[in-house]
Structure formats: C-alpha cells, structure tokens
Amino acid sequence: MTTPQPAPANRNKLLIIIGAAVVVLLAIIAIAVGSQAIRAGQEADAKASAVASASAMSAALDAAQKVIDDQRAADAKEANTVCEKRLIQKHPTATVQAGKTKSTFKASDGSFDTTGGYTDAPAGNTIPMQFVCSSIKTGGTSWNVFLSNDGHGSRVP
C-alpha cells in the first residue's frame, strides 16, 4: 500500500509565496517608475512656470520703460517751453521759430539740453539766431532754467 504524499499542498504554498514576491517586486518597480514620471512632470511644470514668470517680468519691464519714455517725452516738451519762455524774458521782442526747439535728456544729471532758433526784428536781428538752454525739473511744474547762449556769442547771465 502506498501512502498519499502531502507534497501538492507544500507546492501550492511555495507557488503562492513566489507569486506574491513577484507581485511585490512588480509593485515596487511600478512605484519607482511612476515617481520618476511625476518628477519629470514636476520639472516640466517648474520650467513652464519659470518661462511664464520671466515672460511676465519682461512684459512688466517693457510697460515700465514705456511709462518712463512717455514721461521723458512730456518733460522734453515742457523743457522746450520753459527755455523759450526764458529767452522771451531776456529778449521780450523775440519771436521763437516754430518747430525749431529741441530738447535732449541727459541721464548723467537728469537735465535737458535745449536748442532752438529765434529772430528779434524790433531789436534789428532779422537773421535767425540760435539759443542754447539747460533746464532741470525740480518737482511738479517747477524748473530751473539756464539760458547759456542767446545767439549773440555771449553767455547770458
């Protein structure tokens, strides 16, 4: 007579243990690969965010520069006007030549160098002469204006 062998039960347990180990190993591999994919996605998101931030910063700088440029243009027009007024104070009968007055901003000290032309027929100066002026805005609508040459070749006090 032969005795039945209990081997099949042990073999089933062994297969279950090996199968469970394989499943655990596959789960660990899946988690590792998934975490790498998440990191790659986070890096891509971070790069996209950095690009968007840089773009927004560039747009803000461009807008700020436009405001500065617009203000300088307005101040240059005002520098033209205050220099022409200073010339008229010095030569009350002078006529400023329309469109000839130009102001240039000097970043070194924040002033404007202005040149323009005028005639003064009542004073006997019918030939156009050049005036040179320097001005700096001191706040609000206040300006310090220096007429440095009135076209007569001398410095104006």
Side-chain angles (χ1 to χ4, degrees), residues 40-117:
Q42 289 172 341
E43 287 176 11
D45 290 346
K47 285 180 185 176
S49 176
V51 167
S53 178
S55 177
M57 189 178 298
S58 176
L61 287 173
D62 289 345
Q65 187 61 48
K66 183 178 180 340
V67 168
I68 291 168
D69 292 345
D70 290 349
Q71 183 60 48
R72 281 207 185 123
D75 286 347
K77 285 181 183 178
E78 197 171 344
N80 290 351
T81 301
V82 297
C83 284
E84 289 171 353
K85 285 181 180 178
R86 176 67 179 106
L87 176 73
I88 298 299
Q89 285 176 344
K90 181 69 177 165
H91 302 283
T93 57
T95 302
V96 176
Q97 292 180 306
K100 297 285 186 183
T101 306
K102 302 287 182 221
S103 291
T104 305
F105 179 72
K106 281 181 24 182
S108 61
D109 63 359
S111 68
F112 288 88
D113 287 337
T114 305
T115 59

Side-chain angles (χ1 to χ4, degrees), residues 5-20:
Q5 295 183 354
N10 284 338
R11 193 172 21 170
N12 285 344
K13 279 185 182 179
L14 184 61
L15 288 174
I16 289 174
I17 291 172
I18 292 172

Side-chain angles (χ1 to χ4, degrees), residues 131-156:
F131 67 91
V132 178
C133 177
S134 178
S135 58
I136 189 165
K137 192 169 191 175
T138 58
T141 59
S142 298
W143 288 78
N144 285 336
V145 182
F146 306 97
L147 185 62
S148 60
N149 188 324
D150 64 356
H152 294 283
S154 61
R155 310 235 357 123
V156 177

Side-chain angles (χ1 to χ4, degrees), residues 17-35:
I17 291 172
I18 292 172
V22 168
V23 168
V24 168
L25 183 61
L26 289 173
I28 291 171
I29 291 171
I31 290 171
V33 169
S35 108

